[in-house]
Amino acid sequence: MRLDLRDVARRIARDIPDGAYVNLGIGLPTLVADCVGADKEVVYHSENGILGMGPAPAPGEEDPELINAGKQPVTLLPGGAFFHHTDAFLMMRGGHVDLTVLGAFQVSERGDLANWATDDASHPPAVGGAMDLAVGARRVLVMTTHTTKAGEPKLVPRCTYPLTAAGVVDRVYTDLAVLDVTADGFLVREMVAGLTREDLQGATAARLSFADDVGVLGQRE
Amino acid sequence: MIDKRVASLADAVEGIEDGATVLVGGFGASGVPVELVHALLDRGTTDLTVVTNNAGSGETDVAALLRERRVRKIVCSYPRSAGSIWFEERWRAGEVELELVPQGTLSERMRAAAAGLGGFFTPTGADTRLAEGKEVRVIDGRRHVFEEPLPGDVALVKAARADRWGNLVYRTAARNFGPTMAAAAALTVVQVDEFVELGELDPETIVTPGIFVDRVVRVEAA
């Protein structure tokens, strides 16, 4: 019943408009780039000073200095540009990046995002550009499994993990549902076939409301 | 006559004192001034505050400074990279202090220092633990956190080419923190792959003008 995360990425890609400037977070969200159709021209931004970032190079053609935020080798597309870090973050913080897709440990019904620290004291804390992206991108989409591996809900009334940013998430895409963050909390827009509203609520700690016309998530167009 | 070129890596790091705050360019392994950091290591300089995005990995550059116990404090955004074993070891032992700063705030704090500003208010970090103890002001209905400027005594930067005035161009994404750090330190030292004649760099494409640069040293590409 749960969607494969590649199908979640495909669903997110549908919501990325032609011409958008997009920053994809490290990890799961990078799957989205592979799913954006060739009919759209999307410009990918990387926090280390790249616009027009392209896919991974062919083996043997890696440039150790041309990397993405996850430190993986990438390429530059025709029309791409390099710039320095302060400008890269000005684009993020200043609302110039249209959209970001981020992973999450928890999202609250108020749109608070927790995705940088789990309070595991055995590792040093590390934040990178997560906070700047979350506060600055014009639209913040979250891509996550609906629950943790242990079955704990990730959509919660209040985050218990340390916050990345407060009140920033616009929409959440999980392997069970698509939900908007509204003034009244999570509003379910789509859910996978074969799942009841009670099932979905049971996998969610925050209280859900449902759109009048809840769509089916995962149907291939 | 202005000639910022120096003959050796030892000359490049001459005079950097114990206790200095050193801005070290680079993002992951991209744009790291590896040879300059090792020259600092060879010089024996210690008790350093190092400002850098990552905390080094493997046995080179910032990781080597940590291994040799030259670092008192590190100011960075993401010290937990693959292979950052020396940072983790020194941090767990309580031998190095960590100031964790969101990446854009790290860059902007150095820019503020470069620009002669007394700090700035940013929405980044508001309502998070990284804002604890900091002044908060509501601007346009949004909570902003006050951040102080972050100047360096020294900046170590890697660029592609320089002329004798210290004008710089970089290569691909190796530019990253270089331009901001170069402008934010009292002494800016740059390693380049190549020296070019004055006038050879297209003035329309010079990224860091020489006013921000004090010394340049050529390092043979490996």
Side-chain angles (χ1 to χ4, degrees):
Chain A
M1 185 185 308
R2 285 176 184 266
L3 277 193
D4 186 88
L5 287 166
R6 210 158 271 284
D7 289 324
V8 179
R10 206 166 279 132
R11 174 64 190 85
I12 295 171
R14 248 174 58 201
D15 283 357
I16 296 182
D18 188 23
Y21 290 86
V22 173
N23 185 306
L24 299 176
I26 295 170
L28 276 187
T30 56
L31 291 174
V32 174
D34 297 333
C35 304
V36 173
D39 56 322
K40 291 180 193 171
E41 202 161 44
V42 172
V43 181
Y44 293 103
H45 171 275
S46 188
E47 66 186 17
N48 52 319
I50 309 172
L51 271 173
M53 185 171 58
E61 288 177 23
E62 296 89 353
D63 172 348
E65 310 223 87
L66 182 45
I67 57 175
N68 64 13
K71 321 288 193 302
Q72 302 302 310
V74 292
T75 49
L76 190 74
L77 298 176
F82 298 117
F83 37 90
H84 69 99
H85 239 83
T86 305
D87 280 353
F89 278 83
L90 171 157
M91 292 177 197
M92 292 153 72
R93 196 194 309 103
H96 307 278
V97 171
D98 294 312
L99 182 154
T100 185
V101 183
L102 297 171
F105 298 135
Q106 291 175 326
V107 180
S108 86
E109 61 191 16
R110 302 184 305 192
D112 297 348
L113 174 67
N115 78 347
W116 73 280
T118 57
D119 276 342
D120 172 2
S122 63
H123 292 288
V127 64
M131 290 184 177
D132 304 278
L133 247 190
V135 301
R138 294 168 72 93
R139 208 166 147 69
V140 176
L141 311 183
V142 165
M143 174 180 184
T144 179
T145 53
H146 204 88
T147 56
T148 66
K149 286 196 181 84
E152 299 284 330
K154 289 180 139 193
L155 305 189
V156 295
R158 299 283 291 264
C159 294
T160 53
Y161 286 135
L163 283 196
T164 305
V168 295
V169 176
D170 294 294
R171 180 173 263 203
V172 183
Y173 302 76
T174 78
D175 46 356
L176 294 180
V178 176
L179 312 95
D180 281 337
V181 177
T182 71
D184 299 319
F186 288 113
L187 177 69
V188 179
R189 292 285 186 189
E190 298 171 22
M191 48 197 281
V192 294
L195 189 75
T196 66
R197 293 183 176 194
E198 291 70 28
D199 293 336
L200 186 63
Q201 181 64 74
T204 311
R207 191 186 55 79
L208 299 177
S209 52
F210 292 81
D212 294 336
D213 52 347
V214 174
V216 178
L217 171 61
Q219 276 186 333
R220 303 289 174 81
E221 295 78 28
Chain B
M1 183 174 119
I2 300 169
D3 192 352
K4 297 178 180 178
R5 295 171 299 180
V6 297
S8 71
L9 284 160
D11 291 342
V13 297
E14 178 58 36
I16 299 177
E17 292 179 0
D18 290 352
T21 294
V22 183
L23 317 179
V24 179
F27 178 88
S30 177
V32 179
V34 176
E35 287 78 5
L36 280 175
V37 176
H38 282 270
L40 196 58
L41 195 67
D42 293 344
R43 188 180 149 74
T45 314
T46 192
D47 195 31
L48 299 169
T49 293
V50 173
V51 181
T52 189
N53 190 57
N54 306 102
S57 90
E59 300 291 337
T60 59
D61 55 88
V62 173
L65 286 178
L66 286 157
R67 183 188 66 218
E68 301 303 322
R69 296 192 165 83
R70 305 293 179 77
V71 183
R72 180 180 67 77
K73 178 179 178 182
I74 195 156
V75 183
C76 77
S77 88
Y78 207 89
R80 203 176 58 213
S81 303
S84 58
I85 46 172
W86 283 112
F87 172 74
E88 298 210 14
E89 178 136 343
R90 296 289 178 250
W91 177 79
R92 282 206 187 88
E95 293 175 334
V96 61
E97 181 188 343
L98 170 65
E99 181 180 345
L100 192 72
V101 181
Q103 198 172 159
T105 299
L106 184 68
S107 191
E108 197 65 22
R109 285 179 61 192
M110 290 186 280
R111 198 200 76 87
L117 301 176
F120 56 94
F121 283 92
T122 174
T124 302
D127 299 308
T128 77
R129 65 172 52 167
L130 296 190
E132 280 168 15
K134 293 177 180 171
E135 182 185 348
V136 172
R137 187 179 296 179
V138 176
I139 300 169
D140 270 344
R142 190 163 204 201
R143 289 161 66 78
H144 287 64
V145 182
F146 180 71
E147 295 285 355
E148 295 186 339
L150 179 56
D153 297 310
V154 180
L156 303 181
V157 168
K158 180 183 178 183
R161 290 183 289 157
D163 60 27
R164 67 176 170 84
W165 281 13
N167 293 310
L168 305 177
V169 295
Y170 300 80
R171 211 179 71 73
T172 69
R175 184 183 306 189
N176 58 62
F177 285 92
T180 299
M181 288 182 170
L187 172 70
T188 292
V189 184
V190 183
Q191 67 172 71
V192 295
D193 300 332
E194 191 188 353
F195 285 142
V196 298
E197 291 299 318
L198 207 60
E200 211 173 304
L201 295 176
D202 177 356
E204 301 286 356
T205 64
I206 289 170
V207 176
T208 296
I211 190 171
F212 299 125
V213 175
D214 299 287
R215 299 174 187 167
V216 287
V217 62
R218 190 163 74 92
V219 173
E220 301 277 353

